[in-house]
Amino acid sequence: MAVTATQVGVGCLDLDAQANCGFVPLDTSNGAAGFVTTGGNLYGVSSDGKVLCLTIASQAPCPGQPYAAIVPPDNNSPGLQYTGSMTIVNGKVFASAGPVDSTPVLACFDPATNTPCAGWATPKAVAPFGSFTFDAYTSYDTSGNPVGACATTVGRPTSITTCYTEAGAPLAAPSVFSALPSNQDVFNPETVVAPDGDLQGYFGIWGNPVPGATVCYDWTRAAACPGGIALPQTHGILTRDYGYSYDGVTQCLFGLGDAGILFSEDPTTGGSPRVHSGASVSLTPSGFYCDGQAGHIHGYTNGKLEGMNPANVNLAASTVDVTDPGGAVIAHPTFAPDGTFDLSAISPTTHPGIVVTAHLVLNNTNDFTGGNQPHLVVSFNGDPPQVCFHTTVTPTCTVTGVSDTATGTDATGTLTSNTVSLAVAPGPSCQPTVTINKEICASHNNADCGPGGAGPWVKQAPVGLLGLLLANPHWRITVTDAGPVGITGATINDGAQPSCATAAGTFALAAGASRQIFCSSSILLSLLPLTNRASATYTPANSPAGTTPSTTATSSAVACSLLCIL
């Protein structure tokens, strides 16, 4: 959420590029309750009570926003801040508003209709007049299902918590906050599956006399967490906690508050700093092979800590989780004294991919100094890994083959592979367009019917052209290659006049070139009319050895006497 002197909207930071990616104004107001995400949109409530919306993919305001107000104006004056927060319950947007000297309320907005939720035509009170709240959070049943929303007020004299279902009916509320000292600010929780497997919410609180503390509520037990209501943070620093972020790998809470101090915390005891570490490795052995063949993978072997002295880790208190990629638990192997753990009992056939997560309890931080970078390494037994390359051939039709040699380095030095060569067959766009045209000379003068002769050349001989007893027709065959590549090994097929095939021989043509073959024959007039058909057989240039030749469609010309007319 970001504001200018006259507008409230979305400020965007590109974390990959560490760059500003813009500000999108959404309303003329002085503040908002922050944003929540559902259905690909960001939703917020401005200080004038209106619902704000931005489409994340396009970074553009949603059509028709800002939508009608769902809560009363909340400190919508210069220099004041919105007092309230937001949460999502099964796709519904809940928002609280609680300005000082007013009645704090909770409201519900339905993104499917861009109107208040059914049963929420008006906002619902969460505490008496004169109270205010900084939070709005999701309520869960003991099975971990979201069932409604709650708000807890600042403790004056005590904190009041009120919850409602999605439909707007009253809902049983956590009672842990009523035991807090007066004047405690309570903020939105970080709700996670805790190390003991329960769904727990960690609420930051502060206010004289508490310099900063964590209230833990166990939704699975519907009671305070086993560690107590308010975890005593042991760092001894004034933090004034606003909230936390949980790292499931190291099982650490990271806190930040009004004092601007970032700190770590044990989610079970509140101990700080939290001297833990951890790592997660996703391993899919088939990803090391690319030939599509089976039998490369023989079995998982083990996991181990590298770059760490086992004496610096409380291995007995550290744990390992092995799950499938979907999160289903497969095994919980234990650490050996040397920092390894066995994975050989896990079948790579049953579990072709595994996720191994190590939760480490440290005795000290000696392995995290001097640039040392410890690692968790997970291994399997299999054939040597493969690397596959894909070569894209240029579309110029001039490449006849590719040759590749791979190089690399490892701990032994430089590696050089064997050379692989592969012929490239012309694709559809690199096939020549070859045509043939057979004609007969229509001149009485033999000099006009040879190479360079004037002809004319026609498809059918005119009446009276051929002699009385013996005809001597002259033929011309034209082979043309329109490209885009040339042809080789071209021959003429002419069953009626073999002399034409003999005259042509075997020849090649470049793209865009033509060749003419001239031939003649003697034919008894009794055999006329004669339709003479010819075709050309050829191989496209750059074709690999063994390519089957191609043959054109036939072309014909007719030698005839009066019978052609009769």
Side-chain angles (χ1 to χ4, degrees):
M1 190 273 289
V3 295
T4 68
T6 58
Q7 295 176 310
V8 61
V10 177
C12 174
L13 174 65
D14 186 330
L15 296 178
D16 288 331
Q18 297 187 26
N20 182 357
C21 42
F23 170 73
V24 181
L26 298 177
D27 191 21
T28 54
S29 178
N30 72 303
F35 292 109
V36 290
T37 304
T38 183
N41 293 337
L42 286 177
Y43 290 92
V45 174
S46 66
S47 294
D48 57 14
K50 297 177 183 176
V51 177
L52 311 177
C53 180
L54 176 117
T55 300
I56 298 173
S58 62
Q59 294 189 38
C62 301
Q65 82 83 52
Y67 307 117
I70 60 171
V71 295
D74 188 328
N75 295 333
N76 192 21
S77 300
L80 298 179
Q81 298 175 342
Y82 189 104
T83 309
S85 191
M86 305 186 69
T87 191
I88 295 291
V89 181
N90 298 321
K92 304 290 196 311
V93 178
F94 283 81
S96 64
V100 179
D101 298 327
S102 181
T103 299
V105 296
L106 193 65
C108 179
F109 178 82
D110 188 348
T113 61
N114 293 331
T115 60
C117 303
W120 291 84
T122 58
K124 301 181 184 299
V126 297
F129 180 90
S131 304
F132 66 100
T133 182
F134 290 120
D135 57 52
Y137 52 94
T138 303
S139 174
Y140 299 87
D141 63 18
T142 55
S143 298
N145 303 305
V147 292
C150 306
T152 298
T153 63
V154 173
R156 293 181 179 173
T158 60
S159 296
I160 298 173
T161 301
T162 303
C163 303
Y164 294 96
T165 66
E166 284 184 71
L171 181 66
S175 60
V176 293
F177 302 103
S178 60
L180 296 178
S182 64
N183 201 40
Q184 295 302 299
D185 298 340
V186 181
F187 298 93
N188 272 16
E190 172 80 335
T191 302
V192 300
V193 176
D196 63 3
D198 286 0
L199 185 68
Q200 296 180 348
Y202 304 102
F203 298 77
I205 68 168
W206 65 274
N208 188 39
V210 178
T214 307
V215 171
C216 180
Y217 184 74
D218 192 315
W219 294 101
T220 302
R221 303 168 188 258
C225 294
I229 297 175
L231 301 178
Q233 297 170 6
T234 59
H235 44 57
I237 300 173
L238 178 67
T239 52
R240 299 195 291 264
D241 301 20
Y242 279 154
Y244 313 99
S245 181
Y246 182 71
D247 177 29
V249 174
T250 61
Q251 297 178 333
C252 288
L253 282 174
F254 293 92
L256 188 66
D258 192 69
I261 298 171
L262 182 67
F263 60 93
S264 64
E265 179 182 342
D266 188 317
T268 302
T269 67
S272 181
R274 168 85 159 167
V275 188
H276 277 211
S277 186
S280 185
V281 175
S282 296
L283 176 61
T284 304
S286 61
F288 290 82
Y289 306 99
C290 49
D291 62 3
Q293 302 299 312
H296 292 305
I297 305 156
H298 310 314
Y300 296 108
T301 54
N302 63 14
K304 59 182 177 180
L305 303 176
E306 287 192 351
M308 296 193 75
N309 183 346
N312 296 331
V313 184
N314 185 342
L315 294 173
S318 300
T319 60
V320 178
D321 300 328
V322 181
T323 68
D324 64 18
V329 176
I330 299 172
H332 290 293
T334 58
F335 278 104
D338 62 353
T340 63
F341 49 89
D342 185 21
L343 299 174
S344 61
I346 300 174
S347 167
T349 302
T350 305
H351 302 288
I354 59 175
V355 179
V356 180
T357 303
H359 311 286
L360 303 181
V361 179
L362 305 180
N363 294 325
N364 54 62
T365 60
N366 293 348
D367 290 315
F368 298 87
T369 59
N372 186 46
Q373 295 183 352
H375 289 86
L376 171 65
V377 178
V378 180
S379 303
F380 72 94
N381 182 21
D383 296 337
Q386 301 171 347
V387 178
C388 294
F389 300 91
H390 178 80
T391 300
T392 301
V393 179
T394 62
T396 58
C397 304
T398 59
V399 177
T400 60
V402 293
S403 181
D404 184 73
T405 302
T407 61
T409 58
D410 67 3
T412 65
T414 302
L415 306 174
T416 303
S417 76
N418 58 302
T419 300
V420 177
S421 298
L422 179 70
V424 175
S429 62
C430 291
Q431 296 294 329
T433 302
V434 182
T435 57
I436 186 171
N437 185 28
K438 182 150 192 179
E439 301 165 293
I440 189 169
C441 185
S443 174
H444 292 278
N445 186 355
N446 287 340
D448 293 334
C449 298
W457 296 95
V458 296
K459 300 298 285 183
Q460 178 175 302
V463 176
L465 174 66
L466 302 179
L468 296 177
L469 296 176
L470 187 66
N472 295 102
H474 294 268
W475 311 95
R476 183 174 75 176
I477 300 173
T478 304
V479 180
T480 301
D481 178 9
V485 296
I487 60 174
T488 60
T491 58
I492 298 300
N493 310 301
D494 193 332
Q497 299 297 317
S499 62
C500 294
T502 301
T506 302
F507 59 95
L509 275 181
S514 296
R515 174 165 180 175
Q516 292 184 331
I517 297 97
F518 297 87
C519 52
S520 61
S521 57
S522 296
I523 305 174
L524 294 173
L525 291 181
S526 60
L527 299 178
L528 298 180
L530 172 68
T531 299
N532 190 357
R533 296 180 176 85
S535 63
T537 297
Y538 62 92
T539 301
N542 304 329
S543 295
T547 298
T548 302
S550 300
T551 300
T552 67
T554 59
S555 177
S556 63
V558 179
C560 60
S561 62
L562 291 175
L563 292 177
C564 289
I565 306 301
L566 299 176

